[in-house]
Amino acid sequence: MTPLTLSPGAVSLAQLAEIYWDQPAIQLDTTCKPAVEAAARRIAEVAAGEQAVYGVNTGFGKLASHKIAPEDTSTLQRNLILSHCCGVGEAVPRRLVRLMMSLKLLSFGRGASGVRWELIELLQQMLARGVTPVIPAQGSVGASGDLAPLAHMTAVVIGEGEAEVNGATLPGAEALKAAGLAPIALGPKEGLAFINGTQFSTAYALAGLFQAWRAAQNALMVSALSTDAIMGSTAPLQPEIHALRGHRGQMDAASAMRAALAGSVIRESHRDGDTRVQDPYCIRCQPQVTGAAMDVMRQAAVTLTTEANAATDNPLVLSEPQAIVSGGNFHAEPVGFAADMIALALSEIGAIAQRRIALMVDPTLSFDLPPFLTPDPGLNSGLMIAEVTTAALMSENKHLANPCVTDSTPTSANQEDHVSMAAHGARRLTRMVGNLNYILGIELLCAAQGVEFRTPLVTSAPLQRAIACLRSHIPALEEDRYLAPELEVAKGLIDSGAVLEAVGVEMPGLF
């Protein structure tokens, strides 16, 4: 695969999505090399001098007042990495580790970290040759940087820790050797440059964003199918309604739903003579709710794109004047806010989807669909408990949507007395997307079953393709059967985007 060339400070959200979904090799545009090398030279000069500069020739955190002799600076950096490898829990998924590494490369490429170019080359080669550090997922509070997870990543660079290569998990030095690479001993400040940063939190937040956007697109498609299942009206999708309000997400959502429903025979069958005046909000207000969630995600995307291009370690080598200054760019508060925003969006998309499911299984609200969408209710319970499962998942996501960024606690002997909690704020997003995709998968099952009960009337051609995609994996529910595996399959069709691809309607883009 041809490496993706990135320009530090100018990487787009589309490129970040490509890194996440496609996992390409990465290389920095070499126009950044002079600035990187100039900063490294400045660090080397200071390390050889008498002046104490934080992180270069001093201890760290509360131990910053301890001056370190020039001959001990390399040991200082090695000790820093080893002592900070205190992560716990399950390993970070491979594609997320690769995104982390890519984000660290971008940060180094800004020319303010003071690392040697050979370290950048080693990270690039690790990505190219499939050396993926094993990183425990828990242990970061999102300031000062994602210390523990980034330390585990860096451990492999110096031949410690563990990494996966060619399907095997090996000690760091052996993994590098298996890929034809060699560890590099860290010089002054380089260990600190690796672990001070927000790349773990930002990688998880970006992953959550990309997954959440796909879920939102699925929600638009599935809700259109639900609209036909209950013989809902398309009048609330008229363009002028949404233009009069003017929110981009709402207009985009309504447009996608109109396209999905265009040509539905079911819809045309009840334009006249329908005694119902209005549909419930879960049908009528889908563009306003999921559209608003999409706008929130787009706002979060702006923050995360900025952060992905940022130099976030400490101290930073400034160009004007030539000074090495201790600041606070490692504080992941912007990432924490973005993650909280995405979490709220996910929760609301699931909440309104769950109400559509409840609508379809309730014979008093579904406009003549059989109870719980079974052809023989009483003897069969149909999708009764599948709906209950979605209620549980909806409630769980509501709980998970509570803000994390407000929950600070002092650490490191009160030196780091306010932290962002961005790391687990971002990590929860993957779990929330999983819950949401179960809800949407079950809604797809209900909506397809409901539409099929309207035979000989048929839905639109795009939505017929959605049902065909589903039915190629899961047959219609004629009588009660063991459903748990089918719920997993339905979720998988949502996860993968397979149903979206089958529908073939252009969905709103994140970028």
Side-chain angles (χ1 to χ4, degrees):
M1 182 183 294
T2 302
L4 177 63
T5 300
L6 302 176
S7 297
V11 171
S12 68
L13 189 63
Q15 288 175 309
L16 295 168
E18 182 179 352
I19 295 169
Y20 177 69
W21 292 116
D22 299 341
Q23 303 181 67
I26 299 296
Q27 63 183 20
L28 297 186
D29 189 321
T30 54
T31 57
C32 72
K33 186 174 181 180
V36 170
E37 293 182 326
R41 287 193 298 272
R42 180 66 181 137
I43 291 294
E45 291 167 2
V46 170
E50 295 298 321
Q51 181 182 359
V53 175
Y54 175 71
V56 179
N57 52 14
T58 72
F60 308 104
K62 201 73 171 179
L63 303 175
S65 59
H66 292 252
K67 179 76 162 56
I68 307 299
E71 62 271 19
D72 291 329
T73 54
S74 181
T75 301
L76 172 72
Q77 300 298 315
R78 178 180 176 82
N79 288 348
L80 174 71
I81 300 306
L82 297 178
S83 68
H84 283 55
C85 285
C86 291
V88 297
E90 63 185 19
V92 176
R94 182 178 187 271
R95 71 172 65 244
L96 272 159
V97 176
R98 291 179 63 85
L99 181 55
M100 275 179 65
M101 295 167 70
S102 301
L103 293 174
K104 181 53 75 175
L105 281 168
L106 289 174
S107 185
F108 286 166
R110 294 300 300 273
S113 299
V115 301
R116 290 165 293 164
W117 187 258
E118 63 188 280
L119 286 167
I120 289 175
E121 289 180 326
L122 178 56
L123 278 180
Q124 291 178 160
Q125 286 301 312
M126 287 170 64
L127 286 166
R129 304 185 192 191
V131 180
T132 307
V134 176
I135 301 174
Q138 293 170 275
S140 173
V141 296
S144 69
D146 294 315
L147 297 171
L150 287 171
H152 282 278
M153 182 189 80
T154 312
V156 178
V157 171
I158 64 173
E160 299 289 346
E162 291 184 321
E164 184 271 328
V165 62
N166 298 326
T169 299
L170 303 171
E174 292 181 27
L176 290 174
K177 184 177 180 180
L181 302 171
I184 296 176
L186 299 175
K189 190 194 174 292
E190 289 177 335
L192 197 60
F194 266 99
I195 68 171
N196 263 176
T198 65
Q199 287 75 36
F200 174 87
S201 297
T202 304
Y204 262 101
L206 284 167
L209 173 67
F210 300 142
Q211 294 166 358
W213 192 264
R214 179 177 285 180
Q217 292 175 322
N218 274 293
L220 296 178
M221 178 273 299
V222 178
S223 67
L225 192 62
S226 298
T227 299
D228 252 5
I230 62 100
M231 300 186 84
S233 175
T234 55
L237 300 177
Q238 292 181 44
E240 189 175 357
I241 293 174
H242 307 285
L244 283 167
R245 199 174 200 189
H247 291 297
R248 179 187 172 191
Q250 178 179 328
M251 293 187 290
D252 286 350
S255 176
M257 292 180 68
R258 284 195 307 273
L261 282 159
S264 168
V265 176
I266 293 175
R267 173 63 187 117
E268 296 305 317
S269 73
H270 63 97
R271 280 191 185 275
D272 299 319
D274 195 328
T275 58
R276 297 169 297 171
V277 177
Q278 295 177 329
D279 292 318
Y281 287 177
C282 63
I283 297 294
R284 187 170 17 131
C285 299
Q286 168 70 334
Q288 287 82 356
V289 175
T290 296
M294 291 162 60
D295 279 340
V296 166
M297 285 190 266
R298 282 169 168 155
Q299 293 167 24
V302 172
T303 296
L304 295 175
T305 303
T306 300
E307 190 72 7
N309 281 285
T312 57
D313 64 274
N314 183 64
L316 292 172
V317 183
L318 306 184
S319 57
E320 296 294 340
Q322 283 195 337
I324 301 170
V325 181
S326 184
N329 281 5
F330 50 71
H331 201 297
E333 195 84 356
V335 182
F337 275 121
D340 283 347
M341 291 164 65
I342 297 166
L344 289 170
L346 286 166
S347 180
E348 282 297 275
I349 294 170
I352 196 169
Q354 201 283 327
R355 297 317 304 154
R356 291 191 295 270
I357 296 168
L359 181 72
M360 286 185 283
V361 300
D362 186 343
T364 64
L365 299 173
S366 65
F367 201 58
D368 298 329
L369 290 175
F372 304 107
L373 298 168
T374 176
D376 189 11
L379 179 63
N380 294 282
S381 295
L383 291 163
M384 177 191 295
I385 303 305
E387 185 270 329
V388 174
T389 296
T390 66
L393 295 167
M394 173 188 68
S395 183
E396 183 176 318
N397 269 7
K398 287 179 179 179
H399 169 75
L400 289 170
N402 281 288
C404 293
V405 80
T406 55
D407 185 26
S408 178
T409 189
T411 62
S412 194
N414 281 302
Q415 178 72 13
E416 298 157 9
D417 57 353
H418 182 279
V419 299
S420 71
M421 298 300 180
H424 66 266
R427 277 198 304 113
R428 72 182 150 159
L429 297 178
T430 298
R431 176 179 170 188
M432 292 184 72
V433 170
N435 289 343
L436 173 56
N437 286 347
Y438 277 120
I439 294 171
L440 295 175
I442 292 170
E443 183 184 0
L444 176 63
L445 288 170
C446 291
Q449 188 91 349
V451 164
E452 288 166 339
F453 278 120
R454 303 297 181 188
T455 304
L457 302 176
V458 293
T459 188
S460 67
L463 295 179
Q464 287 181 56
R465 292 194 292 272
I467 295 174
C469 177
L470 175 69
R471 292 294 176 238
S472 68
H473 297 84
I474 302 172
L477 187 63
E478 301 294 339
E479 58 184 19
D480 285 350
R481 60 177 184 253
Y482 188 60
L483 284 177
E486 296 180 5
L487 303 188
E488 296 293 336
V489 172
K491 173 183 180 286
L493 294 174
I494 297 294
D495 277 337
S496 67
V499 182
L500 280 175
E501 185 177 351
V503 168
V505 169
E506 184 177 356
M507 288 288 166
L510 178 58
F511 39 78

